[in-house]
Amino acid sequence: FCTLLQKEGGGREEEEQLKMAIATGWLGSSDLQAPEPLVVPQQQQTRTRNNQTVEVTGANTDLIPAPAEETGERKGAQKRVAFNPIVGRSESMQVDENKERFSNTRIVKEIKSNNKNLEKELILYMNCMKKGLDRSIKSISHAGKMRFLDPKVDFTYKTPITFNKPEDKEKFKFTAYSPMCYRHIREFLGVEASEYLRVLTDTDWVPSGAGKSSAHLYYVGRTYVVKTMTHNESKFLRKILHLYYHHISNNPHTMLPRFLGHYSVTLKNGEKRTYIIMNNVFDTKHKMTEVYDLKGSTVGRLAESGESVRKDLDIKQLVYIGQNRKQILLDQLNRDSHFLEHCGIMDYSFLLGIHIPERNAISVQPEQPPIHTHSDESCLRADDGGMLSEGGGPEYRGITYYVGVIDILQEYTSFKKSENFFKGLRHNRRAISAVPPPDYASRFRDYINKVVI
């Protein structure tokens, strides 16, 4: 069967993923009751899945020299703020002016891990990212460098910067992918370069833990989220970047993630990690009482005990935002899902955050919340970044909803096709997550239409 995957266009990575999924029990024995059973070699059965995705490359001697680094000392102590929107925790700390600007020693206490080597590795990558961002963003944001995009160059161009001078504590290569394109996106979305740089370099990166994909997620202030990417995700984003750019340009209030920068760090030992920086759906001072990850499928969509993010089968209430705003949301979701379908993307989610105020706070509010005055897609974030409830009865008064579409870089690969095949033998094929992009988009829209009132 793995040989057939390659004949259908699947790469070696998809073949290895399939073998590993079977060997580690990701596909159960009942999933393998195909007409012709798949035999896995004995040596493959002892392989385990890595805790994180790391690309290893050989020594790269073709490094472009770094531009002259801007210098300057920041006088006085500055305040750093660490905020996790899911738990609603906000902390501040004073940074001594004599300490290294890009220090992340405090992050050690945040990482819930007994592996000290992993802690040091995460801090090393974060320090490298901050140093690289400082130099890269200052360089590309210079007023004299602003120009129109060149479609033949700017969507695929990458700028490597090396840090290998004697004064550099860590030796590494930092790469900015399509920097001019992302500068245009940031300016189109109203992201000011100096503030963007300040938040990313002067604010603690608070880890949120690794998901099933082993991706590391960091909250940077309340505004941004930094997430690691697999090699396939990074390659796919660069492939569709021109389509994404035009979609964002035509839909300024899109519900898709607002990708603001794409970077990678390669250490001197050849290990590489790629990052994407995007907006935070929960960019608000409010704490999220409930968070849902909704796909429209039902197989395996029940949150396990202890999980803070709930799934499709856990939701017990409807989202009351009023008919007018519902129609605006569905129209935008329709455009976004058709774009994802056109790009061959599936397995994305509708992220729903619900803020329920305390009862004593609700009692002082008027019986009916003010009706929003926005007639376009901006009404989806008009109430402190979200939408106040409208209708549904007294028990829904004061509730605010925060929504967005996330995880949009999963292409319908040969591996996903094999998942569709095997899981379809055991479950209703229309109820599993791994379905072709047209079916996924249609089911996704229908499901959100039923949840939102």
Side-chain angles (χ1 to χ4, degrees), residues 222 281-286 381-387 400 402:
R222 285 185 353 207
V281 176
F282 304 143
D283 183 6
T284 175
K285 64 179 181 293
H286 295 310
R381 298 181 177 89
D383 303 316
D384 193 23
M387 299 176 288
T400 308
Y402 299 85

Side-chain angles (χ1 to χ4, degrees), residues 157-175:
Y157 187 73
K158 57 183 179 180
T159 304
I161 304 173
T162 57
F163 291 80
N164 55 5
K165 297 180 181 179
E167 61 268 23
D168 293 326
K169 185 177 180 181
E170 295 93 8
K171 314 296 187 205
F172 66 96
K173 183 179 77 170
F174 177 89
T175 303

Side-chain angles (χ1 to χ4, degrees), residues 129-130 133 137 174 182 185-186 189 191 196-197 199-201 205 217-218 220 223-229 237 244 257-263 274-280:
M129 272 290 290
K130 289 191 173 187
L133 287 169
I137 295 173
F174 177 89
Y182 284 107
I185 291 177
R186 290 194 296 268
L189 296 175
V191 178
Y196 176 69
L197 176 61
V199 174
L200 290 174
T201 57
W205 293 21
L217 189 72
Y218 305 91
V220 186
T223 312
Y224 304 120
V225 172
V226 181
K227 185 179 180 182
T228 57
M229 310 171 70
L237 176 58
Y244 174 82
R258 301 182 180 190
F259 295 141
L260 304 174
H262 182 191
Y263 310 96
T274 309
Y275 297 84
I276 187 72
I277 300 177
M278 51 193 158
N279 68 300
N280 184 6

Side-chain angles (χ1 to χ4, degrees), residues 40-54:
V40 182
Q42 181 65 30
Q43 60 270 25
Q44 293 289 337
Q45 296 180 357
T46 60
R47 295 182 60 180
T48 59
R49 187 175 300 177
N50 293 331
N51 291 329
Q52 59 183 348
T53 302
V54 177

